[in-house]
Amino acid sequence: MSRRPILVDCDTGIDDALALAYLLAEPSVEIVGVTTVSGNTDAARAAANTLSLFELAGEDDIPVAIGAHDFRARAYAGGAPHVHGDDGLGGIALSAAARAHDARAAVELIDHVASRHPDLTVLALGPLTNLAAYAEAPGVARFDHLVVMGGAFAHSGNVTAWAEANIHNDPEAAAVVFAQDWDTTLVPLDVTMTQTLDATDLVRLEAIPGAVPQALARMLPHYLDFYAGVFPDRRCALHDPLAAMVAAGALRGVSVASGQVEVRLERGERGRTVSSRGSSTQRWVRGMEGSAAEVLLERLEAREWPS
């Protein structure tokens, strides 16, 4: 069976690392490239974090390109160390990878990969700055599908009352992306806040041998600490891993709402996502059956990781 090619555009913090590890362990997909953007941490640090994770996994041939540092309408002003740690990975200080990042710009790498893989899925786990630049670049290759972790519809935001972090960081870029006729699926807070990893799951993760699962287990306490005021017990939301599972087609009973996504740019509701009219190309995930944490742990347990 052929594996689904996926390019990941991310701002590698803790839940991005979980998503990348999941994709490395998911037998139905192949990561064919990574581009990074500022968000949880800056784009250069996100690339370094990704390369360090790949080195632990024994993956030395996935190109990783650095994308936009600043957003379209404002300069990047720092990440979210209170959520992801000063290094983006819970302060665990992974060793720098021996391999350098790809010399191409993010748009160039996406174009190269899309040209080679007409069935490419692009998985966006951070602000959409790189994808907006791609939308406006002349003559670039078309990819098959876009999956975006972002937005909030019936659910409240996690930055403001309305806005989810990835969209709020660069709403102008999001507006450009959602104005395209790309086949797009959003995985918003409406569903990601229902899928969590708890302290019992962390114990199970700690028991998985290998450098990657052990690194993930060391990162997660910082992430769980942040969520202490969000959930009544010790658990964290699985935002990016859930989007990765949607991109991989690994979930059961996924329900979606079809609708053209629009992004509010005015000050009072800046970054708010709304869907008020029908669309044949855009949809957002409303729910799913089963446990994303179980899918994540099963895949991580099934792979033989380097030590």
Side-chain angles (χ1 to χ4, degrees):
M1 183 179 67
S2 61
R3 299 165 70 194
R4 181 181 311 206
I6 292 182
L7 180 139
V8 184
D9 185 71
C10 54
D11 54 342
T12 310
I14 295 171
D15 61 332
D16 305 73
L18 288 168
L20 288 167
Y22 160 75
L23 291 170
L24 291 174
E26 173 55 64
S28 66
V29 304
E30 176 186 8
I31 303 176
V32 293
V34 174
T35 52
T36 63
V37 64
S38 295
N40 295 327
T41 188
D42 66 84
R45 167 56 68 180
N49 288 348
T50 303
L51 287 165
S52 293
L53 189 71
F54 284 169
E55 185 163 278
L56 292 181
E59 301 283 351
D60 58 6
D61 58 354
I62 302 172
V64 178
I66 299 174
H69 176 78
D70 292 319
F71 305 125
R72 288 173 79 88
R74 66 177 179 90
Y76 174 70
H82 60 297
V83 183
H84 296 276
D86 290 336
D87 61 354
L89 297 179
I92 68 170
L94 286 183
S95 298
R99 178 165 65 104
H101 64 84
D102 195 284
R104 287 168 288 189
V107 168
E108 293 178 276
L109 180 59
I110 298 170
D111 184 42
H112 173 76
V113 172
S115 299
R116 294 186 60 192
H117 301 278
D119 56 343
L120 179 70
T121 294
V122 174
L123 172 62
L125 301 178
L128 296 176
T129 318
N130 291 334
L131 274 298
Y134 195 79
E136 295 175 340
V140 292
R142 190 176 181 92
F143 49 81
D144 185 58
H145 187 51
L146 173 64
V147 176
V148 175
M149 190 282 117
F153 295 93
H155 198 282
S156 60
N158 59 0
V159 177
T160 69
W162 307 109
E164 178 275 330
N166 288 337
I167 305 301
H168 184 267
N169 272 330
D170 198 341
E172 285 80 11
V176 170
V177 170
F178 299 142
Q180 308 306 308
D181 65 349
W182 296 339
D183 187 82
T184 301
T185 301
L186 270 73
V187 185
L189 297 182
D190 304 65
V191 64
T192 64
M193 289 298 290
T194 72
Q195 294 294 324
T196 60
L197 180 147
D198 64 22
T200 301
D201 297 320
L202 177 57
V203 172
R204 184 172 163 187
L205 177 61
E206 290 170 337
I208 302 174
V212 169
Q214 290 302 302
L216 298 175
R218 288 164 52 212
M219 297 173 202
L220 273 165
H222 189 97
Y223 203 47
L224 288 163
D225 287 346
F226 166 75
Y227 275 99
V230 178
F231 296 110
D233 57 352
R234 192 163 173 77
R235 63 180 61 239
C236 60
L238 290 174
H239 303 296
D240 290 348
L242 187 62
M245 292 169 197
V246 170
L251 300 174
R252 297 181 293 106
V254 175
S255 62
V256 300
S258 296
Q260 182 70 34
V261 178
E262 299 174 3
V263 182
R264 299 277 171 81
L265 300 179
E266 56 269 23
R267 185 179 299 272
E269 295 186 351
R270 184 171 173 79
R272 183 179 187 178
T273 47
V274 296
S275 178
S276 57
R277 56 191 174 93
S279 172
S280 60
T281 60
Q282 293 186 9
R283 66 205 65 83
W284 56 276
V285 177
R286 296 189 299 183
M288 55 165 281
E289 296 177 2
S291 165
E294 184 64 25
V295 174
L296 172 66
L297 291 168
E298 284 182 353
R299 296 298 191 274
L300 295 178
E301 288 168 338
R303 171 162 174 160
E304 293 187 12
W305 299 97
S307 57

